Amino acid sequence: MTPEYEFHQRDRDIHPPAFTPVYKTSALRSPRVPLWSLQNSLSEVTGPAFSRDELGPLDNDLIQNYARDGKPIGEQTIVHGRVLDGNDRPVRNTLVEVWQANAGGRYRHRNDSYIAPIDPNFGGCGRMLTDDNGYYFFRTVKPGAYPFRNRVNSWRPAHIHFSVFGSGFAQRLITQMYFEGDPLIPHDSIIATIPDKSAAERLTAKLDLNASLPLECLAYRFDIVLRGSRQTLFENRLHGG
Amino acid sequence: MSSDLYLPETPSQTAGPYVHIGLIPNQAGFDIFDNNFGGDIAGPDVAGERIVIEGRIFDASGHVARDVLVETWQANAAGRYNHPADRQDKALDRAFRGWARTGTDFETGVYRINTIKPGAVAGRRGRKTMAPHISFWIAARGINIALATRMYFGDEAAANASDPVLNIIEQPERRQTLIAARTARDGQTVYTFDIFLGGARETVFFDV
């Protein structure tokens, strides 16, 4: 059976290609044979769903969800926005997961040996489901910049990693969000993997003073767009179905 | 195609070396959530043949990649997806979501998923039934946009021979990169599915 809908062909021009020597690690981790293009079957238009009872009440509060004997150090920050699809429709009840370094630029990860200290009160990960409007929000501390091994003096701008599902497995996306005004953005080798500069701008969250909590918390706005879909009813009729 | 008629998709960025923190925090070495998503998805109430899928992921130099996130999506034992878009007249298994997530081990590089063998799924209109398969989605440091592929089952030779997806791959030799060999070990059924990101044995990846 042809699914009743299928996702629009992914516009590969707005994504980084697999092989990007500016980000050296990609060289040996990038297929050389072009991807085989598949028309969507049920295997691509379906995907996992998650429910609120699978998440804990503090899962979207990175200020509290690993606090031991105090609060984490750093700028208290709200990040919020909507998950939409290419048709400008909200993506409802979809799982959004985030992870990040602490305010000093250090990850709570066994493979991170940067000299900035671990924050005993900060884990660095959170998760939430979008609501009926596709809206999500979480509270955290703004992550710090940190160096990484690419060239001898390569630094990552402050960023938060995002993982989003959508309704079908073909919409699955991992990306990174940056902060408006960060002077490291034009120097970053990971952002530079994206050939389309307007695409890179869409990864930069805008300061949202109206959403900030006075005397408490700054806010940034970051909307995410997953692939849109089209009904296949017309095609089915064309085929006499 | 980009145009003013549609919102352009948010660009992908690499999952980076610390993907474990966000998606498999247990493997990153800390315990933060009460409920963790994982790679053991064949709970006691799930119908179907219990199987283990394991393998390693190699870079183009043949080096084992030990920091890769692996997710899988599959139909249940009857060949139906747990999703409203699947209207096939087959039994839904409410105990089985069909999605697994794990990582390659930091020391051995092996990933492992405990699941059930899926049934065959209807293909697109006018095409043959798809042989039993599992969709794979892998993300890691150095992978700018996650890679999609499929695992097929080595003991399904007849179904694989007529599978509409395997058959669009021009070189029959390359189809073999998607077929996992079945073995028995300690009373378990194990399928070995190694993935090659590049090199002479590069796995077939799909633009889905």
Side-chain angles (χ1 to χ4, degrees):
Chain A
M1 64 189 288
T2 298
E4 292 177 16
Y5 60 91
E6 57 194 0
F7 295 111
H8 298 146
Q9 170 177 292
R10 180 167 251 157
D11 183 350
R12 291 268 167 187
D13 291 341
I14 65 171
H15 291 287
F19 178 67
T20 51
V22 65
Y23 172 34
K24 297 180 183 181
T25 313
S26 72
L28 290 174
R29 292 182 165 203
S30 43
R32 290 300 187 277
V33 180
L35 305 176
W36 281 100
S37 294
L38 282 191
Q39 286 184 287
N40 285 178
S41 71
L42 285 175
S43 303
E44 286 75 43
V45 303
T46 59
F50 301 88
S51 63
R52 288 180 202 282
D53 58 16
E54 294 183 273
L55 308 185
L58 295 179
D59 282 6
N60 72 334
D61 188 349
L62 284 70
I63 288 179
Q64 290 194 73
N65 71 11
Y66 204 74
R68 294 296 185 261
D69 54 5
K71 283 183 166 186
I73 300 292
E75 283 179 47
Q76 302 205 97
T77 301
I78 290 168
V79 178
H80 72 137
R82 295 175 76 200
V83 181
L84 304 166
D85 73 8
N87 308 79
D88 202 8
R89 294 177 299 215
V91 182
R92 300 183 170 98
N93 298 310
T94 201
L95 183 65
V96 176
E97 297 164 288
V98 295
W99 68 100
Q100 64 169 88
N102 67 27
R106 175 79 182 266
Y107 285 89
R108 183 176 287 278
H109 191 288
R110 45 175 273 167
N111 293 345
D112 187 357
S113 56
Y114 181 41
I115 55 168
I118 290 282
D119 185 331
N121 294 308
F122 190 67
C125 71
R127 55 190 187 178
M128 64 228 86
L129 289 173
T130 57
D131 70 11
D132 283 346
N133 297 312
Y135 182 74
Y136 75 89
F137 71 95
F138 62 95
R139 191 169 73 142
T140 187
V141 294
K142 189 176 177 184
Y146 61 86
F148 79 117
R149 291 191 184 279
N150 191 49
R151 301 186 68 200
V152 295
N153 194 23
S154 291
W155 291 76
R156 295 304 322 283
H159 63 276
I160 299 177
H161 298 265
F162 276 71
S163 161
V164 193
F165 277 82
S167 61
F169 210 44
Q171 287 179 299
R172 187 90 179 78
L173 182 72
I174 282 180
T175 190
Q176 301 183 28
M177 183 207 94
Y178 305 95
F179 292 86
E180 179 181 6
D182 189 329
L184 285 168
I185 287 175
H187 302 285
D188 182 46
S189 303
I190 305 292
I191 298 174
T193 61
I194 305 175
D196 177 347
K197 294 306 162 203
S198 72
E201 285 167 16
R202 290 201 307 281
L203 294 177
T204 303
K206 302 295 186 287
L207 176 68
D208 185 354
L209 268 181
N210 288 339
S212 67
L213 302 177
L215 307 181
E216 190 180 324
C217 210
L218 274 176
Y220 286 83
R221 172 101 186 179
F222 182 57
D223 291 335
I224 297 167
V225 181
L226 304 179
R227 293 164 69 184
S229 61
R230 68 185 185 100
Q231 302 291 317
T232 56
L233 293 173
F234 182 62
E235 179 192 30
N236 291 351
R237 288 194 196 102
L238 280 180
H239 285 88
Chain B
M1 300 300 106
S2 292
S3 80
D4 293 341
L5 297 178
Y6 299 96
L7 299 179
E9 190 183 6
T10 298
S12 173
Q13 293 268 263
T14 178
Y18 309 122
V19 59
H20 318 84
I21 291 183
L23 303 186
I24 36 177
N26 286 345
Q27 187 170 338
F30 78 112
D31 191 16
I32 187 165
F33 298 135
D34 290 336
N35 174 43
N36 287 287
F37 302 124
D40 297 332
I41 61 169
D45 298 331
V46 176
E49 179 190 4
R50 266 59 185 167
I51 63 170
V52 178
I53 299 169
E54 63 181 29
R56 292 179 296 171
I57 298 175
F58 297 85
D59 75 13
S61 72
H63 179 70
V64 175
R66 294 175 170 83
D67 55 4
V68 182
L69 177 81
V70 177
E71 291 189 6
T72 60
W73 172 243
Q74 65 171 99
N76 67 22
R80 177 162 171 176
Y81 286 103
N82 190 346
H83 188 281
D86 187 340
R87 306 280 184 83
Q88 295 177 98
D89 185 20
K90 298 174 178 174
L92 188 62
D93 184 345
R94 297 195 182 280
F96 188 63
R97 174 155 49 197
W99 171 77
R101 169 188 279 172
T102 190
T104 58
D105 186 88
F106 288 132
E107 272 79 40
T108 65
V110 174
Y111 73 86
R112 185 169 291 111
I113 292 163
N114 295 297
T115 182
I116 52 102
K117 190 176 176 187
V121 174
R124 286 175 63 89
R125 177 183 300 277
R127 306 254 183 93
K128 292 175 178 165
T129 297
M130 296 190 286
H133 66 276
I134 295 180
S135 295
F136 272 65
W137 189 85
I138 63 174
R141 178 176 68 101
I143 296 177
N144 288 325
I145 180 165
L147 295 166
T149 187
R150 287 184 175 194
M151 189 201 98
Y152 287 82
F153 294 83
D155 53 317
E156 296 279 352
N160 292 341
S162 62
D163 180 80
V165 170
L166 287 173
N167 278 298
I168 67 164
I169 301 166
E170 182 181 346
Q171 300 84 0
E173 298 80 3
R174 298 203 71 226
R175 297 173 197 162
Q176 297 303 313
T177 67
L178 305 185
I179 297 175
R182 176 182 176 121
T183 54
R185 186 181 67 209
D186 303 332
Q188 289 185 309
T189 298
V190 179
Y191 288 91
T192 302
F193 185 50
D194 291 331
I195 295 173
F196 296 84
L197 301 177
R201 299 171 67 187
E202 184 176 306
T203 297
V204 171
F205 296 101
F206 295 109
D207 188 12
V208 292

